[in-house]
Amino acid sequence: MLDSIKQFSSTFFVTGDPLILGAQVSIAISMVAIVLALTIFKKWKWLWTEWLTTVDHKKVGIMYIIASLLMLFRGGVDALLMRTQLALPQLEFLQAEHYNQIFTTHGVIMILFMAMPLMFGLFNIAIPLQIGARDVAFPFLNSLSFWLFFFGAMLFNLSFIIGGSPDAGWLAYPPLSELSGSPSVGQDFYIWGIQISGIGSLATGINFIVTILRMRAPGMTLMKMPMYTWSVFTTCIIIIFAFPILTVTLALLFLDRFLGAHFFTLDGGGNPMMYINLIWMWGHPEVYIVILPAFGIFSEIVSTFAKKKLFGYKSMVFAMFSISIMSFFTWAHHFFTMGSGANVNIFFAITTMIIAIPTGVKVFNWLFTLFRGKITFSTPMMWTAAFIPCFIVGGMTGVLLSVAPADFQFHNSYFLIAHFHQVLIGGVVFGYFAGLYYWWPKMFGFKLHEGLGKWAFWFWNIGFYVCFMPQYALGLMGMTRRFNAYDFDMGWQPLNVISTVGGFLMGIAFIFQVWQIAHSIKFMQKDTTGDPWGGRTLEWSIPSPAPLYNFATIPRADTLDPWLEEKNKRAAGIATPAPEIEPIHMPRNSAIPFIMSVCWFVAGFGFVWSWMWMAIPGLIGVVVCLLVRSFTYNTDYYIPVDEVKRTEAALRGSH
């Protein structure tokens, strides 16, 4: 009996690696500290009523952002561990198996559990305010989307200390991800963590499409929407077509592993290439899912900080729609070398080159907007300025990779690693940092410390170029990805050491950002105007942070920059009559999204270990939550006029 318990515990818990043991201890200490803090300061009720059960889009957005920053830390630590191993391969700092697990989890976490929630967080913060709405179209679904993401991410991260992390690569190609290549449960953690969070992502896409189409302020036609709203709209269109592909693909892989199906196993009549086609039919649109909102953010910031109307508004809208459509016609460029044939390679090479055109249009529009503008270089504008040259280089190397004969040399080399990090860090991360700095005062009512922000900015940018520029050279020298060791006589070590120094500089930049947030909370520089940057869109017309109901009266938006027009009218002494305040209809908080997501987590954990005694009750819990929601009728309430007036007086009285 004791032997079987020991055998189970050795399989269940990850043991034997001092790095993982240190992580287990630190996680346990952190959890105990959080529980003690909540108990000592009597914050359990506050946590439940204000956060865990909230359906307020602003609080949901803040929770997304906090979760994504935690995932940035986890994914960043993975990156530094890999870079340390590659700088000093003779030390065998990471064994081959552990290295495989780390590069797998690094990719999944950074794309799906860092970039996506940071993107969704900014959706939630800005979109309802930009279009003059009081909430999203489906507040309950919005809360459920967050908790599904959160518990999916937690299930995936749990594999680090229980069962073992997946090690088949971040896109889990068969046969490595089949039972023959990954007999441990790590790959099942991968499947269910992504599946559960993916349901939330799909729901978010549907929610924001309906919100943008149905809840815009009076007068705001589609061609008067802010550019960030357009970018979110086109992104959500890609989401609702791309994410079902991911869901089906991972479901088929799970059936292979769980029921012995053979969708992707050659010896059973399946085809691994079908998996690779399917995963990239989601995977390449996913690249544009995370970059398009960054384009929208840059458009808002460039216009605001240049104090000029955005150049080429209609061409920007057309470019975004072109990208959203073309993103589904480029997936095969990820496997030019896999024998698809010349005709197929030519088609996808051409589509990959074509998609660069609308992206170039955007860059020129931003530059023309900045031309002769009165530019203010606050931190959001600095991140935007840093993005443009970085993304141009990333785009040019992408065009090089789109040339099929050249790709036969670049494929799976560090040239490719440098390219996609250049695009995803220089585009996505820089873009979301710019948005975070831009909308931070609207979220919390105070600005982040500019001095510390600039230190973080320079460490990020210098570290980025020091880290990834040498990797282009390493790729041309023949260094391929996914190897944890190489011989000294290859001549790769000097550039790898330089690259690792750059990685640690970016780590220092992240520490500066944490310091910046902590410093800004302690020495709060309050935003007493609601409009610290001189904004042009509706979110800057209300106090910071925004009240529960956002707008006491729904604004009109008859022009492209309605708040700028209103400020100009006020400066000219033209008074706009304010409508009468009426009772405001708002959704009630609900515990069902949190509880349903816990049930999904339980079901997912059960399927990972093939414990039907756990998986089936978890799924039953999901169904029960759906039924309870279906028969819940008291889901909303009205805020009385007197309460709205008191809130407005308190908020605007301090402005």
Side-chain angles (χ1 to χ4, degrees):
M1 182 69 177
L2 285 173
D3 289 340
S4 60
I5 292 172
K6 285 180 181 178
Q7 186 177 359
F8 170 75
S9 63
S10 65
T11 307
F12 190 72
F13 293 104
V14 179
T15 57
D17 191 307
L19 289 172
I20 295 176
L21 178 62
Q24 290 168 333
V25 171
S26 63
I27 289 167
I29 292 171
S30 299
M31 291 179 67
V32 170
I34 291 168
V35 170
L36 283 175
L38 289 169
T39 305
I40 291 168
F41 294 105
K42 299 179 180 177
K43 290 291 185 181
W44 285 105
K45 184 179 179 182
W46 167 82
L47 180 66
W48 179 257
T49 57
E50 294 293 322
W51 296 97
L52 300 186
T53 61
T54 187
V55 295
D56 179 7
H57 71 94
K58 299 178 289 296
K59 289 182 177 177
V60 170
I62 289 168
M63 290 191 292
Y64 267 123
I65 289 167
I66 292 170
S68 73
L69 293 178
L70 290 173
M71 291 297 100
L72 177 60
F73 172 74
R74 162 76 206 275
V77 169
D78 282 348
L80 295 181
L81 292 173
M82 285 190 288
R83 289 291 353 140
T84 301
Q85 168 63 27
L86 289 170
L88 303 165
Q90 299 86 359
L91 293 181
E92 295 186 355
F93 175 66
L94 294 176
Q95 298 299 321
E97 182 183 6
H98 194 184
Y99 185 84
N100 289 347
Q101 292 175 349
I102 284 178
F103 77 66
T104 299
T105 56
H106 170 73
V108 175
I109 285 170
M110 287 304 208
I111 294 290
L112 292 170
F113 300 137
M114 187 282 287
M116 290 291 284
L118 191 48
M119 176 182 83
F120 288 147
L122 294 173
F123 283 15
N124 274 280
I125 294 300
I127 291 301
L129 300 181
Q130 278 204 336
I131 64 173
R134 290 199 168 115
D135 211 316
V136 294
F138 308 117
F140 176 91
L141 186 64
N142 196 34
S143 174
L144 179 62
S145 297
F146 168 74
W147 288 114
L148 285 170
F149 147 73
F150 181 81
F151 281 105
M154 290 303 101
L155 184 62
F156 179 85
N157 278 273
L158 203 58
S159 65
F160 184 57
I161 56 174
I162 294 176
S165 298
D167 60 359
W170 82 276
L171 287 174
Y173 290 174
L176 291 175
S177 55
E178 296 282 358
L179 276 175
S180 58
S182 297
S184 70
V185 295
Q187 197 58 45
D188 299 301
F189 273 112
Y190 171 100
I191 290 169
W192 281 99
I194 294 174
Q195 285 287 52
I196 292 168
S197 66
I199 298 169
S201 298
L202 181 59
T204 300
I206 295 167
N207 204 346
F208 277 89
I209 285 177
V210 178
T211 301
I212 292 167
L213 288 179
R214 301 291 298 166
M215 300 188 70
R216 300 189 307 280
M220 185 181 283
T221 62
L222 287 174
M223 294 309 290
K224 290 176 186 169
M225 291 197 310
M227 192 50 64
Y228 180 63
T229 304
W230 267 117
S231 73
V232 171
F233 183 63
T234 51
T235 297
C236 290
I237 290 172
I238 305 177
I239 287 173
I240 64 171
F241 285 104
F243 265 82
I245 302 172
L246 176 66
T247 301
V248 170
T249 306
L250 293 181
L252 295 176
L253 181 60
F254 183 70
L255 291 175
D256 273 12
R257 294 177 58 85
F258 189 68
L259 295 179
H262 293 285
F263 292 105
F264 307 126
T265 52
L266 276 173
D267 55 355
N271 188 350
M273 275 304 299
M274 182 168 72
Y275 178 94
I276 295 172
N277 273 282
L278 286 170
I279 202 73
W280 280 116
M281 286 171 74
W282 160 79
H284 203 79
E286 167 66 12
V287 173
Y288 294 100
I289 286 170
V290 292
I291 195 67
L292 278 175
F295 291 164
I297 291 167
F298 293 133
S299 299
E300 299 291 334
I301 290 172
V302 161
S303 182
T304 299
F305 287 91
K307 298 177 177 61
K308 280 180 65 183
K309 185 178 179 180
L310 184 67
F311 181 90
Y313 176 89
K314 290 181 180 178
S315 65
M316 293 281 269
V317 173
F318 180 77
M320 283 187 179
F321 266 103
S322 300
I323 290 170
S324 67
I325 294 166
M326 290 296 297
S327 67
F328 287 95
F329 294 93
T330 59
W331 81 86
H333 72 219
H334 290 275
F335 42 94
F336 278 149
T337 63
M338 295 192 186
S340 300
N343 291 336
V344 172
N345 283 358
I346 289 168
F347 175 84
F348 285 97
I350 291 170
T351 56
T352 305
M353 294 175 194
I354 289 172
I355 205 170
I357 296 170
T359 309
V361 167
K362 293 176 170 305
V363 173
F364 282 111
N365 284 358
W366 293 322
L367 292 174
F368 283 129
T369 304
L370 291 170
F371 182 62
R372 292 182 177 172
K374 297 177 181 177
I375 305 170
T376 307
F377 279 100
S378 298
T379 41
M381 186 62 218
M382 290 176 68
W383 284 105
T384 304
F387 152 81
I388 292 174
C390 186
F391 196 75
I392 288 171
V393 173
M396 289 167 62
T397 55
V399 172
L400 287 174
L401 288 163
S402 75
V403 180
D407 190 64
F408 272 72
Q409 302 301 316
F410 300 141
H411 186 73
N412 269 353
S413 75
Y414 262 75
F415 188 95
L416 174 64
I417 299 288
H419 158 72
F420 72 69
H421 280 89
Q422 180 121 28
V423 174
L424 289 174
I425 294 179
V428 176
V429 177
F430 285 11
Y432 293 163
F433 281 169
L436 199 56
Y437 283 104
Y438 184 60
W439 282 304
W440 186 277
K442 188 53 59 182
M443 283 190 274
F444 298 108
F446 65 92
K447 292 174 72 172
L448 288 171
H449 189 273
E450 282 284 307
L452 290 171
K454 287 174 180 176
W455 275 101
F457 169 85
W458 286 112
F459 268 102
W460 261 108
N461 277 271
I462 294 169
F464 171 82
Y465 285 103
V466 171
C467 183
F468 293 108
M469 291 301 111
Q471 292 183 17
Y472 285 114
L474 285 166
L476 296 174
M477 291 165 68
M479 184 173 176
T480 53
R481 62 202 291 198
R482 303 190 182 103
F483 285 98
N484 72 316
Y486 52 85
D487 290 333
F488 180 78
D489 58 4
M490 301 297 290
W492 298 340
Q493 190 162 17
L495 287 176
N496 270 299
V497 170
I498 293 169
S499 182
T500 299
V501 169
F504 276 91
L505 288 175
M506 287 189 280
I508 293 169
F510 182 76
I511 293 171
F512 268 107
Q513 287 176 308
V514 174
W515 180 13
Q516 178 189 18
I517 292 170
H519 181 278
S520 302
I521 291 171
K522 185 175 181 181
F523 304 101
M524 204 172 283
Q525 182 188 346
K526 288 194 175 181
D527 168 31
T528 59
T529 65
D531 184 16
W533 312 117
R536 309 166 75 87
T537 44
L538 289 175
E539 72 265 35
W540 305 110
S541 67
I542 57 176
S544 299
L548 175 65
Y549 47 79
N550 295 347
F551 298 91
T553 58
I554 297 298
R556 283 200 64 84
D558 295 312
T559 60
L560 188 56
D561 294 321
W563 175 233
L564 178 66
E565 294 293 324
E566 178 63 24
K567 287 191 289 187
N568 290 339
K569 285 181 182 178
R570 292 180 185 181
I574 303 171
T576 305
E580 282 292 316
I581 294 175
E582 298 176 354
I584 296 175
H585 180 247
M586 295 297 293
R588 290 188 185 277
N589 283 5
S590 175
I592 296 174
F594 181 81
I595 295 168
M596 191 193 300
S597 301
V598 170
C599 292
W600 268 114
F601 177 89
V602 170
F605 195 81
F607 279 120
V608 165
W609 293 93
S610 300
W611 293 345
M612 291 301 99
W613 57 267
M614 179 182 281
I616 291 171
L619 292 177
I620 291 171
V622 172
V623 174
V624 169
C625 287
L626 290 170
L627 289 171
V628 170
R629 174 64 181 176
S630 298
F631 292 100
T632 302
Y633 300 104
N634 187 23
T635 59
D636 48 20
Y637 69 102
Y638 282 89
I639 302 175
V641 171
D642 289 344
E643 186 177 334
V644 176
K645 287 181 176 178
R646 283 197 302 272
T647 304
E648 288 294 300
L651 288 169
R652 297 186 185 276
S654 61
H655 290 183

